Amino acid sequence: MTRRLGIALLPCPDHTRAAVRLQQDLGAAGEPLRPVLSEDGNLPHLTVFQGWLDDGLEPGPLLERIAASLSLPAAISLASAGLVHQPTGWLFMSVERPALLGKLQETVIGLVGPHLDRSAFDTAQDMSHFTDAERASYARYGYRYTGEAYTPHLTLGRTDERTALALARTGPGRTAVPGTWTFDRLSCYVMGEHGAHAETLAARPLG
């Protein structure tokens, strides 16, 4: 049996609340963004990797192995890179991509790779809006954003394409966007609606 699982960085409490407020502010003028983020439900998060993983993967030991493989600081602060529309209908809070994040993703992929269920990849999905790097990433790992295609972000939600485009353009003038985002925990989670951080299986402090 396989499940759709993810490994993510979780924001510190203040920035978790900031992401929840940001989503609420952006959705206040029209269609709400989905899924709804909250501190005790769908957690704001920065995905490192997600995919179809088998039952042999043990979430707690996985996080310990990740932490043991890298010299992680107690917290990682990343500069905001703006609200970004991503086809189709996604709204991201993009952040910078320092070398540490690339190393973290490489480490995670190396550890979860043996547990990937490639037979579960949705090869019939429409990838016409993917870049070449994203298509190559999906073909290899079943996840759109790895390697060259990795674009660190917090997902603020999904709506119709027109609304997402408008929010990316007008959002910064309508609501306060933090200049930096600080992350202090690693998490392994069950994916929910639109890839949401729906259930925490294991979490640990970064450092």
Side-chain angles (χ1 to χ4, degrees):
M1 180 178 165
T2 59
R3 293 186 290 177
R4 291 185 71 207
L5 303 181
I7 294 87
L9 293 172
L10 296 181
C12 66
D14 283 350
H15 286 166
T16 293
R17 289 187 287 271
V20 171
R21 286 194 303 269
L22 182 56
Q23 186 197 53
Q24 292 170 345
D25 290 346
L26 290 168
E31 283 294 317
L33 293 162
R34 296 193 59 82
V36 175
L37 301 176
S38 72
E39 294 180 69
D40 55 3
N42 295 318
L43 289 175
H45 65 286
L46 187 155
T47 297
V48 178
F49 182 78
Q50 63 186 34
W52 289 98
L53 299 168
D54 66 37
D55 283 344
L57 183 74
E58 299 179 78
L62 169 66
L63 298 187
E64 295 303 322
R65 290 177 68 192
I66 293 169
S69 299
L70 292 167
S71 294
L72 294 172
I76 298 174
S77 291
L78 302 174
S80 295
L83 292 174
V84 174
H85 157 263
Q86 183 79 335
T88 50
W90 296 96
L91 190 67
F92 291 168
M93 179 69 251
S94 184
V95 297
E96 66 176 322
R97 178 187 162 175
L100 178 59
L101 283 192
K103 291 178 182 177
L104 175 59
Q105 187 183 67
E106 288 175 9
T107 298
V108 169
I109 290 173
L111 292 171
V112 304
H115 298 282
L116 272 177
D117 181 2
R118 288 179 166 80
S119 68
F121 292 4
D122 181 9
T123 54
Q125 72 166 299
D126 178 12
M127 288 186 272
S128 61
H129 50 278
F130 285 25
T131 66
D132 288 344
E134 289 168 355
R135 275 190 285 274
S137 174
Y138 191 88
R140 187 171 184 184
Y141 298 115
Y143 179 51
R144 183 175 174 179
Y145 306 111
T146 68
E148 180 187 338
Y150 186 37
T151 54
H153 62 274
L154 292 95
T155 300
L156 295 176
R158 197 174 192 187
T159 182
D160 64 90
E161 187 76 348
R162 187 165 134 187
T163 300
L165 280 163
L167 287 174
R169 185 178 66 253
T170 66
R174 292 171 37 207
T175 185
V177 176
T180 61
W181 297 87
T182 299
F183 302 85
D184 61 4
R185 289 163 293 156
L186 272 172
S187 168
C188 182
Y189 63 97
V190 177
M191 293 168 60
E193 179 189 10
H194 299 316
H197 190 298
E199 178 188 350
T200 303
L201 297 177
R204 76 176 307 275
L206 269 187

